[in-house]
Structure formats: C-alpha cells, structure tokens
Amino acid sequence: MKSTRVLIVDDEPNIVISLEFLMKQQGYETATAADGRAALSEADRFRPDLVLLDITLPELDGFQVCEQLRAEHGSDMGVIMLTARGREAEVAKGLALGADAYVTKPFSTRDLVDTVHKLLGTPRCSGG
Amino acid sequence: MSGWLVVVISGCYLGVLFAVAYWGDRRKDAGRSVISNGTIYALSLAVYATSWTFYGSVGRAADTGAGFLPIYLGPTIMAAFWWFLLRSMIRSSKRHRITSLADLVAHRYGNSAVLGGLVTVIAVIGIVPYIALQLKAVSDTFALLRSGAVTVSHESATTPVLQDTALYVALSLAAFTILFGTRHLDASERHEGMVAAIALESCVKLVAFLAGGLYVTFGIFDGVGDLVNRAASNAETAALFTLQPHTSYQSWFWLIVLSMFAILFLPRQFQVAVVENVDERHLNTAIWLFPLYLLAINLFVLPIAIGGLLVFGRGDVNPDTFVLALPIATDQPLIALTVFVGGLSAATGMVIVETIALATMVSNSLVLPSLLWFERRLSRTPVTSGPAAAGAGLPLASFGYGGDLGRLTLRIRRTTIVGVLLLGYAYFRLAGEGPALVAIGLVSFAAVAQFAPAIIGGLLWRGGTRNGALVGLLAGFAVWTYTLLLPTFARSGWLPESFLVEGPWGVGLLRPEQLFGLHGMDDISHGMFWSMLLNAGCYVVVSMIGRDREPRHFATLRVGTELTGLDGEPAGLSRVSVDELQILLQRFLGTEAAKNVLEDYLRARENPNSPLATSRVADGELVRQVEVLLSGAVGTTSARVMVASVVNENEPLYVDEVMDILDEASQVLAYSRELERKSRELERATAELREANERLQDLDRLKDEFVSSVSHELRTPLTSIRAFSEILRDNLDLPGAEREKFLRIVVDETERLTRLINQVLDMSKLASGTVQWNITDVDLGGVIQDSATACEQLFEQRGAQLTVSVPPCVPAIRADRDRLVQVMLNLLSNAAKFCAPVDGQVSVTLCTEHDDLRVDVTDNGDGIPPTDQERIFERFQQGPRAGNGGDHGTGLGLPISHEIIRHFGGRFWVQSTPRHGATFSFTVPMQPIRAGRKADV
Amino acid sequence: MRHRLISSRLAAVGVLGFLLLNYPLLSLVDLPLMVLGIPLLWIYLYLVWGALIAVLALILRKAE
C-alpha cells in the first residue's frame, strides 16, 4: 500500500523536527528541505502529495516555490503555507498563487493536523 | 451782361443753397439725416476748393505751369494718413465735445484758456487774407461778367468804399452766413443743413469748372493735343511744360508740406472733417474720394491756362480770370454764367464754413473765457449753492444777463462773422490788389500751418506741454507776421519799401524775406522754413524743460476714458444738486432742451426715482455729462469753469483725479504684490510639508517593517515552543529520549525568545536614547580578556582557536563596562559562527590609534561580500549562511554594538574580502590624559 | 489688428506719394519731352496722382 507522502519545507530545524514528528505520527512518509531550491528538487524526487511550505526561506521564498510547484505539478500536490507573518495581504497572495491552505505560526498542532487531514483524507491506520 | 441779371441769378443760387440747408436741418430734426453718407462727407470736404482753385490755379498755371499742383497733391498724400490722424482727432473730439481747433489745442494742454485764445487769434488773423481773396475773386469776376470787357482795369484801388462791389459782397455774405449758421445753438455745434448745402455746392463748382474746361479744350481748340501743339510752338507757353526755371523744387516741397497742414488745420476743414463728422466710417470713402475730386477739378487747369495764354497773350488779361474771360471773349454767355455761378459757389462755400468755424472759436475760446475771467476778477463774490441762490450764484449774473446765456453766445458769433468779413474786406483794400490770388492764399496757409507742431506733436508726443505749445505758437506766429504778412502791406505801399529791400532801420540781416541772410528761397518757402523751425524748436525745447512741472493730460485726450475713482465716483468732487445743474443747462440750451437732456440721462441710468427730484444730489457722472453737454455749446474751457463754479470747486479735476487714482492704483499694486508673495510662501510651505509627510510615511513604513520583522522573529521560537509543548502534552507515552530532546528544544527556544526580546528592547532603548549608561573608568584589555574567557566553551564547541593579543599597559577609558562586554561577546560569537568550519582561527587585537583605542576581531571564514558589508549593520539582517547548526543570530547583534560604540563616540566597521575572512573593528576615544591616571592591568 | 495693417499700408502709400511727387524724383521727369503729345511732367504728375488714388481706394475697398 502506497502511503501518503508529505514534504516539509522550513529553514528552522526545530520546527522541521516538530512537523516531522506530527506527520510521522499520522502515518505519512516525510521528506524535508531547508531552502527553496532544495524544496523544488525534493518535490521532483519525492513526489509528495502535500507540501508544508514556509514563506521565509533562503534562496527562493515560499511564494515562488508555490508558484513553481503549481506550474509543474498542477493540483496533484496539496500545499499548506506556513508563516509567522499573518497579514491579510500575505494570505491573499498565497491563496492566489495556489496554496490550498494557510497556517500562521505559532500554530496549534491539532489544527494543523486537522487541516492536513482535510486535504489528504483521514489516513488509514498505520501499524504500531 | 446786365449786372442786375447777375445779381438775381446769384441770389437765386444762394436761395437754393439756403433751401437745401434748411431742408437738411429739418431732416435731421426728424431723425432722418441726409448727410450720413460717405460720399456726402467727402463732398463736404471739397470745400477745400475755393475761388483759389476755381480761378487762382489757372492764374498760377499760366505763370508756372504745373506749379499750381502741389496744393492738391499735399491733401492727397495727407489723405493716406487720415486713417490714423483724422480718425483719432474725430474720436477725441467726439468724446470730449471738442467743437473747434482752439478747443482741441486747449483741451490737449490741460484746458488752457490762454492757448485756446491764442489759437483763435492766430486763426482769425491768418484767415483774413483768405477771406479777402474770395471777395476779390467774386468782385473781379462780377465786374468782368457785367462789363464783358476782359481787360479789367485796376480801378478798384481807388474806388470809394461805398461804391465798391466787394464791400457789398462781403456784407451779403455775412448776412447769408448768419442766417445759415447762427439760428440756434446746438450742443454739438453741428450744422447738418450747412453740410448738405456745401456738398451741393461742391458738385456745382465741379460741374461748372468741368464745363468751362471742356468748352475751352474742345470748343475753342481741338482737344488737348491741339492745345499742346500750339503751345509748343509758342516760346512762352512751351516754357510751361517744365517746372524749371520758374519754380524751384524747394518751393514745390514747401507747398506740398503747407497744403498737407492746411487740409488738417484750416478752420473750415476742421469743421467739416471733424466737427460735422457723423460716422468715422465715412472716412473710408473720403480717403480716396476726396483726392479723386481734387484730381477731377484740376484736370482742365493746364488746358485753360494755355488756352488763355494763346488767346490773350500775356499782359492785358488777368490770368486768374481766364476761366471766365475765355467764354466771355468767345461769346458764350451761358457758359460764362455757369462758370460765374461755379466761382461764386466756391467762394460762398468757403466763406460760410470758415466764418462759422471762426465765430465758434471766437465765442467759445476767446470772448466767453475772457468774460468769465473778468467776472471772477471783478466780483469776487463767494459762490453760494442751493436752489434758492442758484440763480445768483451762476456766472455772468453780475453782467445783468439774467436771461439766456445762449443768446449772448449767438450774439457774439454774429458779431464775429460780420467782423471777420469786414476785416477781410479791409485787407482786400489794403493789400489785396496787387498779388495774385494764390499768393494771398498761401499766406493764410502758412498761418494755419503754425498749428502743426502743437497739434501733431500733441497727438503723438506725450511730452508736449502747455508752455511749449504756447511759446511755439507765439514764435511761429511772430515769424509768420514778420516774414509773410507785413511784406504784403509793404508791397501795397502801406509800409515803406525800404522795409523789404533794406530791412527795418536798415538792418540787412533782418530783412523780412531774407532773414539772417537766407536767400534763394521764395517768400513762402522762406517764411515756412523760419516759422516752422522756431515754432517746432521752441515747442520741443520748452516742453522738455518744463516737463516735470506739468500734469499729464495726454492720456485723457488720446485714450479718452472718463476718469473715475474706483467706486465710480470721481475723486475730489463736492456735492451739487440736480436742480442747480438744470438751471445752468437751461441758460444755454433753453428750458425744454435742458429738461429733455436731464430726463434722457436719468432714464438711461434706469433710475427708479422720479427724474427730476431736484433736491437729489447729482453724482459725479451727471456733473460730467452736463459739462460735456455745455462744452458743446461754449467750449470745454468755459464749460468747466461754469460747472466748477456751481459745484463750488476750484481745482482742475484732472490732476487730482489722476493723482488719487494713481494712489489707489499703487496701493492695489502693493497689495497684490503682497498677496503674490504670501502665496509663494504658502507654496513653499506646502512643498516642505509634503516632503516632511513623505519622510514620515517612509519612516512609518520602516517602522511597520521593523514591527513585522520583530513579530516574525518572535513567532519563530514561539512556534517551536508551542508545537513541542503540545506534542508533549498530547503524547504522554513518548520515549524518554525523545521527551528529553523535545523538552530541551522548548527550553532552548525559550531562551532564544528571551534573548530576542531583550535585544529588541535594548535596541529600542538605544535608539530612543533612554538607556541608562553606567559610565566608569574601564580597562578595555580586561574587558577583552573576560569576554574571551566567557566564549571559551563556544570556541571549543566549534573547534576554533581564539588568539588574544593585548598590550600590557592599556589606558583607561570612560565607558559602560557591561556594554563593552556586550559588544565583545557579540563580535566574538559572530567570529566563532562564521570562521572556517575546519581549523577556524579568530584573533583579537588591541592597539592605540591617534587618540583612540582600537580593537580588531578577525576570523578566517568566507568573508562578507561588499554588497552585504553595509547591510549587516541593519536590523534583522543576517549574513549569508547564518548558523551552522549552532544557535541562530537575531540579526540585532551588530546594530546594537554599532549603537553602543557610536554612543561612546567611536567608529565601528568591517573590512572583508570574500573567501579571505573578515575583520570587525571599533574605536573608542581615549580620555584626555590626566596625570597619574593609568589603570593597572 | 487689421486696423493697424490698413493704417500702415495707407501710411506707406502716403510716404510713397510724398517721395514720388517730390524732388529728386521729380527732377528726373522735369524735361521738355513729350509723351503721346503731352509734356512728360504733366503726364507723370497726373498719372502718379491717379495711381495713388486708385491704390488708396483699393486698400480701403479691402477694408470693407
């Protein structure tokens, strides 16, 4: 059974760790990237079903990555944007560029997981 | 031919003229003017052609060939300039109710009564010879016609006065003119009937002359060719084909100039061209039609002259009479009669218009002003105002003429007409026998030419003053009298001949016709030369000398705007009631006319009040209107004086008005300049405000960015803290190692957060200057050592080496020790973070540099690209590749250190070459060295 | 303004007339010559005179 794959993109290692833990707990396969370019190459390689995408990234910023992902992978890939900046302009921009959801930091773990579920569907039970 | 027949026919002709004049006046009263027509206007101008043209030209042509012509060429040339000159004269005159030459001159120079009087005197004296020549022409031709003998013996010189035809001619002309032009007083001094009659008269004389000319050319001879052929074979007549040697070019030139002036300044020309003008658009026709008329009437002059010479030869028959003599001699009584009537027409036309014009001048500009002056001198009674005393207070009351002042004026004019004609007769008897008609006429031309500098100068040159005009006129007139008038008496025997030949009292230089030795000119050119020279010269010189003292009246004549104060009221005018003005008007125009005038005026102003509420105060406009109306009847000068005396005001209005208006105008000007200045200032202030606003907006944006940066920075550690805390809460069965790891992250991030918050607060305090500085003596060396010790662990972790080189003796500085430690820690931790991952080297040195202590912290990392070297000192900007798994910078470290060093008065900078590490340096100024103040190491 | 144009044209005609009908130009035609059986001077004077009048009339006709 092919499990759902989630790509985590953030330049803060600790946040990556927390997100990885949460996704793994839900039974998803995870990959990580710490900057925009790495994110795009990982997306090509890993072919995730969902991307948790931070805005403030070195190299390319989250908006550009999102744009490219949409261009290359269409709507096969779900994108949730994460950012510490909660301004309405940013939200609108993100959604306009094709993000499916937008989560502001600091986030509630439960809310994040619920959003992920909405986009991916409830996962089957993973073993253990 | 029977003398009585001639008289009867003449009488009939004059009767026709009179009838036409009467009809013209009646039509005007009915509102249907007959003369409102460019052609009629041009024909009325043809009153220029008098007996001189009719008879005199032929006489002149018989002597000089084409030498008679300049008198008609001049007006043609002047016609071209009429468009400008005459038009402005007409406009000015209409606007200011100027009704004579004297009025024009007086008005232009500040309503000077003296000037008006002088012009009148000159005009009268100057025109007398001209009148004489008309009388001479009529009486000579009358005698010729009656006797049928073409060789007229010169008996008239010895004829007793009472048997002299000329006297009766003069008297009848006087009576005729009085009937024509002084039946009533018109405020505008216009005589539409007279103009109609003159236009008819012009046609008559043209037809008559053409008839005579055609008869001579084609009746007596076989056309022009025949005439010329015959003339060519006769030595005498052949000489007339050219101008030389009988006429000099000089003379020709002066005659043209003279006639150019004459067409403007002859009183009769001014009367018909300016005063009688109905519509200035008629000028458009006159400019070419009048010269055409002159051309037409002069076509046959030369043929007639030659014909006469060929028929009569020279000597027995007066060439002046050729026009009449030829038909008489060839037995053509009808043609002769026609010619005579034409000649009579020419003479009558001239006399009527000229004497009426002169009479107007004499009454308005000479007699009335003198009477008023006398009255003021003699009576010296204060003028009272108010309806009851209105009658007593009016001028000339003391003369007993309580009745209509208008009647007085008319009486004056009638006397003048008779007087002028009698003077003309006198001159004729005294000096008119000998000379040819043209010669006499030219003397008059020269007299009126004296007006040229004053009038033309007055129109074109603002600088012309009253005194200048006065002196110029006097000088010119004096020269004219001496060089032109007196010689005519001398030639007739009333002055000794030696006067001419040797000069007065034998003084050769003062010979009237060779003044100061100037010879070679004929008498007219000579006279014109000297008189114009002195006239114009004095005018210009005296005007320029006295320029400052005289007020400027130029503008009012040319521009013709009525001056009022800014609120519509003329400045400086006292109050007068409408009733008083009405009484004044009544005296001149009659009760009916006065009432009509006032009612019209008030109605035109849409006054809702009853038209003749006599206790009402008259406003300035009404007063001025009354003045204008009166000036039509009595001349501007007199009108002013009269209105002024009623209004109880003595100053001439114009000067005060102009001054007041100038004052107000300059005030307004100053005010508007002030306004302009204020508005410019306002613009500047607005621009500055806009700039400041933009700056504020920039700062605001920066602030927003700062706030959003800070919030971003704060949220990042918070995110980890919250996430992990929640994970720990929701996963109680987490393996211990993971639990520990997560908890540690929480603690780390909390510390990070705290650090960040502290730094932000620090930065903000530093920026706003609210930091508490604890300034003590600080040993910088010690600071460095302590900082190095504190970072030992960090360096160990990084595997980098730290070298510190501090001189043993470091001068103390005044600073905040903790802050210096903060700076050192920041630099050292940065160096540790950014030095080479393997074999990292960091060195710290301290030395003195001028008056400062300098610290350098060098690492061997990748260096900082030049583009970033300034950026890293900005808040929240981190260098490339921040961190290596180690702790993250806040981006505030360097800005804070920079602030701290700056506060101490030092400099803080970086030097770096990419791939060759970086050196951060700062200086701190040392204290001025105080003796014995050296810190121990 | 047209007024000024007319004024200056007319003035020009005036000046021209003054020059044409005066010395020195006059001395050129003041010769005992005959043109069409009429003395040169006379023809010249009347023709120039007539021409001036015609030009004046023309200028003013245009003004109407």
Side-chain angles (χ1 to χ4, degrees), chain B residues 533-546:
Chain B
L533 183 68
L534 274 151
N535 190 335
C538 290
Y539 175 65
V540 169
V541 168
V542 175
S543 293
M544 288 175 69
I545 291 177

Side-chain angles (χ1 to χ4, degrees), chain A residues 49-94:
Chain A
D49 302 294
L50 176 70
V51 180
L52 294 176
L53 181 55
D54 182 29
I55 302 289
T56 47
L57 294 173
E59 309 284 324
L60 300 173
D61 74 23
F63 292 121
Q64 289 169 299
V65 172
C66 179
E67 226 177 347
Q68 288 230 225
L69 287 175
R70 278 285 168 252
E72 283 170 31
H73 303 276
S75 38
D76 294 338
M77 215 176 275
V79 174
I80 299 178
M81 306 204 86
L82 302 166
T83 187
R85 300 188 206 237
R87 291 195 287 196
E88 274 184 31
E90 312 263 345
V91 176
K93 188 174 174 185

